[in-house]
Structure formats: C-alpha cells, structure tokens
Amino acid sequence: MASSKLPATFPVYGGVIEMAIGSYGFSRAHYVPDHGESDPLLPDRQSVRGLRLRFHKRFKKISTVIGIIAALTLLASVFLSLPQLIEYLSQIPWVEENIGTFVSPVSLPGWANVTIITAGILAATERALMLRSHWLIDMETSYWDH
C-alpha cells in the first residue's frame, strides 16, 4: 500500500494514478496510461459520491438542475456575504486607522446569514460530490485552504 501527501502520482502497471484533493475530498483521481488519454477512476457504488453519480446517470435533467441551483447558490452567497465580511474586517482598529472603514450595501439579519451559510455548505457539498470546481463560484469554500 502506497501513501503520499496530495497531490500525488502513484506508479501502477501500464501507467500512473494521479490524485489531488480539494476542499471537500478528492478533486482528481485518474488513471493515466503510458500511452493514451487519462480516465477518471469511478467511486465505490455505495459511497456518497458513487450514489450521487448513479443519481446523475439515472436522472440527468434533475441532476443538471440541482447542479445549476448549487452554482447559483454559491454565487449568491459570495455576493451577499463578501460585502458584510469586508465591513466586519474594516472595523478592526488597525484596519480602521490605516485603511478606513467600509459600509456594506448589504445588511442581513442573523437568521438570513445562517441560512446563506447553510445553503452554501449544501451547495458546496453537491459540487464536491460531482467533482465540479470553478475559481469564482467556489471562492468562498476554497478560501480556507490557503
């Protein structure tokens, strides 16, 4: 059994297996033969990712709608949360004295912010299960990886 820090490449007979990890698990798991194109490794059928993939294959249109809703949810959460976060950070004394303050054009009650965070977590989980990633859409969830 081999182990390594990710991203990693594991040599196997006839090629290599490439692995990478994202915010919510594996973002790449491919078999790359010595000659030819890479093929993604399929998840175990009983894993959550495997169940989501089977749902996608069986109900393609519904799965596509779920994916679109997840992407739109993440975009909305970024655009609603980011100005509030900047306002909060601008109230730190050092930032306030040296840079100034920012007043967010968006001011939501606590219950709305909790709802946005919860919806964002669910949407990010859906995107991770389908191995989808985009620098802008997933900015909020990938921020803490750096």
Side-chain angles (χ1 to χ4, degrees), residues 90-132:
S90 75
Q91 294 172 359
I92 296 172
W94 184 90
V95 175
E96 189 175 13
E97 293 170 8
N98 295 299
I99 298 173
T101 58
F102 172 76
V103 177
S104 173
V106 178
S107 182
L108 300 175
W111 66 267
N113 283 320
V114 169
T115 302
I116 289 170
I117 290 169
T118 303
I121 289 169
L122 291 172
T125 301
E126 147 45 23
R127 291 181 57 76
L129 289 174
M130 293 301 291
L131 296 176
R132 293 187 177 119

Short mmCIF file of all heavy atoms in Angstrom, two decimals, residues 90-132:
data_model
loop_
_atom_site.label_atom_id
_atom_site.label_comp_id
_atom_site.label_asym_id
_atom_site.label_seq_id
_atom_site.Cartn_x
_atom_site.Cartn_y
_atom_site.Cartn_z
N SER A 90 -13.23 45.71 8.32
CA SER A 90 -12.83 47.12 8.34
C SER A 90 -13.05 47.76 9.71
O SER A 90 -12.59 48.88 9.94
CB SER A 90 -13.56 47.92 7.25
OG SER A 90 -14.90 48.15 7.61
N GLN A 91 -13.73 47.08 10.60
CA GLN A 91 -13.95 47.60 11.95
C GLN A 91 -12.83 47.21 12.92
O GLN A 91 -12.83 47.65 14.07
CB GLN A 91 -15.30 47.12 12.48
CG GLN A 91 -16.45 47.71 11.71
CD GLN A 91 -17.79 47.09 12.09
OE1 GLN A 91 -17.86 46.20 12.92
NE2 GLN A 91 -18.84 47.57 11.47
N ILE A 92 -11.87 46.41 12.46
CA ILE A 92 -10.70 46.10 13.28
C ILE A 92 -9.92 47.40 13.46
O ILE A 92 -9.68 48.13 12.47
CB ILE A 92 -9.83 45.02 12.60
CG1 ILE A 92 -10.63 43.71 12.49
CG2 ILE A 92 -8.52 44.81 13.34
CD1 ILE A 92 -9.95 42.64 11.67
N PRO A 93 -9.52 47.74 14.70
CA PRO A 93 -8.89 49.05 14.94
C PRO A 93 -7.73 49.38 14.00
O PRO A 93 -7.68 50.50 13.47
CB PRO A 93 -8.42 48.95 16.39
CG PRO A 93 -9.38 47.99 17.02
CD PRO A 93 -9.71 46.99 15.94
N TRP A 94 -6.82 48.46 13.76
CA TRP A 94 -5.68 48.75 12.89
C TRP A 94 -6.15 49.06 11.48
O TRP A 94 -5.66 50.01 10.85
CB TRP A 94 -4.70 47.57 12.86
CG TRP A 94 -3.48 47.88 12.04
CD1 TRP A 94 -2.33 48.44 12.49
CD2 TRP A 94 -3.32 47.69 10.63
NE1 TRP A 94 -1.45 48.61 11.44
CE2 TRP A 94 -2.05 48.15 10.27
CE3 TRP A 94 -4.12 47.20 9.62
CZ2 TRP A 94 -1.55 48.12 8.98
CZ3 TRP A 94 -3.64 47.17 8.32
CH2 TRP A 94 -2.37 47.62 8.01
N VAL A 95 -7.07 48.28 10.96
CA VAL A 95 -7.60 48.49 9.61
C VAL A 95 -8.34 49.82 9.55
O VAL A 95 -8.16 50.60 8.61
CB VAL A 95 -8.53 47.32 9.18
CG1 VAL A 95 -9.17 47.59 7.83
CG2 VAL A 95 -7.77 46.00 9.17
N GLU A 96 -9.14 50.10 10.57
CA GLU A 96 -9.91 51.35 10.61
C GLU A 96 -8.99 52.56 10.61
O GLU A 96 -9.24 53.55 9.90
CB GLU A 96 -10.79 51.34 11.86
CG GLU A 96 -11.79 52.46 11.92
CD GLU A 96 -12.71 52.32 13.11
OE1 GLU A 96 -12.44 51.51 14.02
OE2 GLU A 96 -13.72 53.04 13.14
N GLU A 97 -7.89 52.50 11.37
CA GLU A 97 -6.96 53.62 11.46
C GLU A 97 -6.12 53.80 10.20
O GLU A 97 -5.85 54.93 9.78
CB GLU A 97 -6.02 53.43 12.65
CG GLU A 97 -6.71 53.51 14.00
CD GLU A 97 -5.81 53.08 15.14
OE1 GLU A 97 -4.60 52.87 14.91
OE2 GLU A 97 -6.33 52.94 16.27
N ASN A 98 -5.68 52.71 9.57
CA ASN A 98 -4.75 52.79 8.45
C ASN A 98 -5.38 52.72 7.07
O ASN A 98 -4.82 53.22 6.10
CB ASN A 98 -3.70 51.69 8.58
CG ASN A 98 -2.83 51.89 9.80
OD1 ASN A 98 -2.15 52.89 9.91
ND2 ASN A 98 -2.89 50.96 10.74
N ILE A 99 -6.52 52.09 6.97
CA ILE A 99 -7.15 51.92 5.66
C ILE A 99 -8.49 52.63 5.61
O ILE A 99 -8.86 53.23 4.60
CB ILE A 99 -7.31 50.42 5.31
CG1 ILE A 99 -5.93 49.76 5.24
CG2 ILE A 99 -8.05 50.25 4.00
CD1 ILE A 99 -5.96 48.26 5.07
N GLY A 100 -9.23 52.57 6.69
CA GLY A 100 -10.56 53.18 6.73
C GLY A 100 -11.63 52.12 6.92
O GLY A 100 -11.35 50.94 7.02
N THR A 101 -12.85 52.60 6.96
CA THR A 101 -13.96 51.68 7.16
C THR A 101 -14.75 51.53 5.87
O THR A 101 -14.67 52.36 4.97
CB THR A 101 -14.91 52.17 8.27
OG1 THR A 101 -15.38 53.46 7.93
CG2 THR A 101 -14.21 52.20 9.61
N PHE A 102 -15.52 50.46 5.82
CA PHE A 102 -16.37 50.17 4.68
C PHE A 102 -17.76 49.89 5.21
O PHE A 102 -17.93 49.17 6.19
CB PHE A 102 -15.83 48.94 3.93
CG PHE A 102 -16.74 48.45 2.84
CD1 PHE A 102 -16.83 49.12 1.63
CD2 PHE A 102 -17.52 47.31 3.02
CE1 PHE A 102 -17.67 48.67 0.63
CE2 PHE A 102 -18.35 46.85 2.02
CZ PHE A 102 -18.43 47.53 0.82
N VAL A 103 -18.76 50.49 4.60
CA VAL A 103 -20.14 50.23 4.97
C VAL A 103 -20.75 49.37 3.87
O VAL A 103 -20.84 49.79 2.72
CB VAL A 103 -20.94 51.53 5.15
CG1 VAL A 103 -22.39 51.23 5.47
CG2 VAL A 103 -20.32 52.39 6.23
N SER A 104 -21.15 48.18 4.24
CA SER A 104 -21.71 47.23 3.29
C SER A 104 -23.08 47.70 2.80
O SER A 104 -23.92 48.12 3.60
CB SER A 104 -21.86 45.85 3.94
OG SER A 104 -22.55 44.98 3.09
N PRO A 105 -23.30 47.58 1.50
CA PRO A 105 -24.64 47.90 0.99
C PRO A 105 -25.65 46.80 1.34
O PRO A 105 -26.84 46.99 1.21
CB PRO A 105 -24.43 47.99 -0.52
CG PRO A 105 -23.23 47.15 -0.79
CD PRO A 105 -22.37 47.27 0.44
N VAL A 106 -25.14 45.66 1.82
CA VAL A 106 -25.98 44.54 2.20
C VAL A 106 -25.88 44.36 3.71
O VAL A 106 -24.79 44.25 4.26
CB VAL A 106 -25.51 43.23 1.52
CG1 VAL A 106 -26.34 42.05 1.96
CG2 VAL A 106 -25.52 43.38 0.02
N SER A 107 -27.00 44.36 4.38
CA SER A 107 -27.03 44.14 5.82
C SER A 107 -28.19 43.20 6.13
O SER A 107 -29.35 43.62 6.12
CB SER A 107 -27.19 45.46 6.57
OG SER A 107 -27.16 45.23 7.96
N LEU A 108 -27.86 41.95 6.36
CA LEU A 108 -28.88 40.94 6.58
C LEU A 108 -28.97 40.58 8.06
O LEU A 108 -27.97 40.63 8.78
CB LEU A 108 -28.56 39.68 5.77
CG LEU A 108 -28.46 39.85 4.25
CD1 LEU A 108 -28.00 38.56 3.60
CD2 LEU A 108 -29.80 40.28 3.69
N PRO A 109 -30.16 40.18 8.51
CA PRO A 109 -30.28 39.73 9.90
C PRO A 109 -29.54 38.40 10.09
O PRO A 109 -29.22 37.70 9.13
CB PRO A 109 -31.79 39.55 10.09
CG PRO A 109 -32.35 39.44 8.72
CD PRO A 109 -31.43 40.18 7.80
N GLY A 110 -29.29 38.07 11.33
CA GLY A 110 -28.53 36.86 11.65
C GLY A 110 -29.12 35.60 11.06
O GLY A 110 -28.39 34.75 10.53
N TRP A 111 -30.45 35.45 11.13
CA TRP A 111 -31.08 34.23 10.61
C TRP A 111 -30.84 34.09 9.11
O TRP A 111 -30.68 32.99 8.59
CB TRP A 111 -32.58 34.19 10.93
CG TRP A 111 -33.38 35.27 10.25
CD1 TRP A 111 -33.71 36.49 10.75
CD2 TRP A 111 -33.93 35.22 8.93
NE1 TRP A 111 -34.43 37.21 9.83
CE2 TRP A 111 -34.58 36.45 8.70
CE3 TRP A 111 -33.93 34.26 7.92
CZ2 TRP A 111 -35.22 36.74 7.50
CZ3 TRP A 111 -34.58 34.55 6.73
CH2 TRP A 111 -35.21 35.78 6.53
N ALA A 112 -30.81 35.22 8.38
CA ALA A 112 -30.58 35.17 6.94
C ALA A 112 -29.14 34.76 6.64
O ALA A 112 -28.88 33.99 5.71
CB ALA A 112 -30.90 36.51 6.30
N ASN A 113 -28.19 35.28 7.44
CA ASN A 113 -26.79 34.89 7.24
C ASN A 113 -26.59 33.42 7.54
O ASN A 113 -25.84 32.73 6.83
CB ASN A 113 -25.87 35.76 8.10
CG ASN A 113 -25.68 37.13 7.52
OD1 ASN A 113 -25.55 37.30 6.31
ND2 ASN A 113 -25.69 38.15 8.36
N VAL A 114 -27.24 32.90 8.58
CA VAL A 114 -27.14 31.46 8.89
C VAL A 114 -27.74 30.64 7.76
O VAL A 114 -27.18 29.61 7.36
CB VAL A 114 -27.84 31.15 10.24
CG1 VAL A 114 -27.97 29.66 10.45
CG2 VAL A 114 -27.08 31.79 11.39
N THR A 115 -28.84 31.10 7.20
CA THR A 115 -29.47 30.40 6.07
C THR A 115 -28.55 30.39 4.86
O THR A 115 -28.40 29.36 4.19
CB THR A 115 -30.82 31.07 5.70
OG1 THR A 115 -31.66 31.05 6.86
CG2 THR A 115 -31.50 30.37 4.55
N ILE A 116 -27.91 31.52 4.58
CA ILE A 116 -26.98 31.61 3.45
C ILE A 116 -25.79 30.68 3.66
O ILE A 116 -25.37 29.98 2.73
CB ILE A 116 -26.50 33.06 3.25
CG1 ILE A 116 -27.65 33.90 2.70
CG2 ILE A 116 -25.30 33.13 2.33
CD1 ILE A 116 -27.37 35.38 2.68
N ILE A 117 -25.26 30.64 4.87
CA ILE A 117 -24.12 29.76 5.16
C ILE A 117 -24.53 28.30 4.99
O ILE A 117 -23.80 27.51 4.37
CB ILE A 117 -23.57 30.04 6.57
CG1 ILE A 117 -22.89 31.40 6.61
CG2 ILE A 117 -22.61 28.93 7.01
CD1 ILE A 117 -22.54 31.88 8.01
N THR A 118 -25.69 27.93 5.52
CA THR A 118 -26.16 26.56 5.41
C THR A 118 -26.38 26.16 3.95
O THR A 118 -25.96 25.09 3.52
CB THR A 118 -27.46 26.38 6.22
OG1 THR A 118 -27.22 26.75 7.57
CG2 THR A 118 -27.95 24.94 6.17
N ALA A 119 -27.03 27.04 3.20
CA ALA A 119 -27.27 26.77 1.78
C ALA A 119 -25.94 26.67 1.03
O ALA A 119 -25.77 25.82 0.14
CB ALA A 119 -28.14 27.86 1.16
N GLY A 120 -24.97 27.52 1.40
CA GLY A 120 -23.65 27.47 0.77
C GLY A 120 -22.92 26.17 1.05
O GLY A 120 -22.29 25.60 0.15
N ILE A 121 -23.04 25.68 2.27
CA ILE A 121 -22.39 24.41 2.62
C ILE A 121 -23.02 23.26 1.83
O ILE A 121 -22.31 22.40 1.29
CB ILE A 121 -22.49 24.15 4.14
CG1 ILE A 121 -21.58 25.12 4.89
CG2 ILE A 121 -22.14 22.70 4.49
CD1 ILE A 121 -21.78 25.14 6.39
N LEU A 122 -24.34 23.25 1.75
CA LEU A 122 -25.02 22.20 0.97
C LEU A 122 -24.66 22.29 -0.51
O LEU A 122 -24.40 21.26 -1.16
CB LEU A 122 -26.54 22.31 1.15
CG LEU A 122 -27.07 21.96 2.53
CD1 LEU A 122 -28.57 22.29 2.62
CD2 LEU A 122 -26.83 20.49 2.85
N ALA A 123 -24.61 23.49 -1.06
CA ALA A 123 -24.26 23.67 -2.47
C ALA A 123 -22.81 23.26 -2.72
O ALA A 123 -22.50 22.62 -3.73
CB ALA A 123 -24.49 25.12 -2.89
N ALA A 124 -21.91 23.62 -1.81
CA ALA A 124 -20.51 23.25 -1.98
C ALA A 124 -20.33 21.73 -1.90
O ALA A 124 -19.53 21.15 -2.64
CB ALA A 124 -19.66 23.93 -0.91
N THR A 125 -21.10 21.10 -1.02
CA THR A 125 -21.04 19.64 -0.90
C THR A 125 -21.52 18.99 -2.19
O THR A 125 -20.91 18.05 -2.69
CB THR A 125 -21.89 19.17 0.29
OG1 THR A 125 -21.39 19.78 1.48
CG2 THR A 125 -21.85 17.66 0.43
N GLU A 126 -22.60 19.51 -2.76
CA GLU A 126 -23.11 18.96 -4.03
C GLU A 126 -22.07 19.10 -5.13
O GLU A 126 -21.82 18.18 -5.89
CB GLU A 126 -24.42 19.66 -4.38
CG GLU A 126 -24.81 19.91 -5.81
CD GLU A 126 -24.66 18.79 -6.82
OE1 GLU A 126 -24.65 17.61 -6.48
OE2 GLU A 126 -24.54 19.10 -8.00
N ARG A 127 -21.40 20.25 -5.20
CA ARG A 127 -20.38 20.47 -6.24
C ARG A 127 -19.18 19.56 -6.01
O ARG A 127 -18.61 19.04 -6.96
CB ARG A 127 -19.97 21.93 -6.29
CG ARG A 127 -21.10 22.82 -6.82
CD ARG A 127 -20.73 24.25 -6.91
NE ARG A 127 -19.55 24.50 -7.72
CZ ARG A 127 -19.51 24.47 -9.05
NH1 ARG A 127 -20.59 24.20 -9.72
NH2 ARG A 127 -18.40 24.73 -9.70
N ALA A 128 -18.82 19.34 -4.75
CA ALA A 128 -17.70 18.46 -4.46
C ALA A 128 -18.03 17.01 -4.82
O ALA A 128 -17.18 16.28 -5.34
CB ALA A 128 -17.33 18.56 -2.98
N LEU A 129 -19.25 16.59 -4.54
CA LEU A 129 -19.65 15.22 -4.87
C LEU A 129 -19.58 14.97 -6.38
O LEU A 129 -19.31 13.86 -6.82
CB LEU A 129 -21.06 14.93 -4.36
CG LEU A 129 -21.20 14.80 -2.85
CD1 LEU A 129 -22.67 14.65 -2.47
CD2 LEU A 129 -20.39 13.63 -2.32
N MET A 130 -19.85 15.99 -7.17
CA MET A 130 -19.81 15.86 -8.63
C MET A 130 -18.46 16.27 -9.21
O MET A 130 -18.30 16.36 -10.42
CB MET A 130 -20.93 16.69 -9.25
CG MET A 130 -22.32 16.17 -8.93
SD MET A 130 -22.59 14.47 -9.48
CE MET A 130 -22.58 14.70 -11.25
N LEU A 131 -17.47 16.53 -8.34
CA LEU A 131 -16.11 16.94 -8.74
C LEU A 131 -16.14 18.18 -9.62
O LEU A 131 -15.40 18.29 -10.60
CB LEU A 131 -15.39 15.79 -9.46
CG LEU A 131 -15.13 14.54 -8.63
CD1 LEU A 131 -14.50 13.46 -9.48
CD2 LEU A 131 -14.26 14.85 -7.43
N ARG A 132 -16.99 19.13 -9.27
CA ARG A 132 -17.06 20.39 -10.00
C ARG A 132 -16.34 21.46 -9.21
O ARG A 132 -16.47 21.54 -7.99
CB ARG A 132 -18.51 20.80 -10.22
CG ARG A 132 -19.24 19.88 -11.15
CD ARG A 132 -20.62 20.43 -11.45
NE ARG A 132 -21.29 19.58 -12.41
CZ ARG A 132 -22.43 18.95 -12.15
NH1 ARG A 132 -23.04 19.10 -11.00
NH2 ARG A 132 -22.98 18.19 -13.07
#
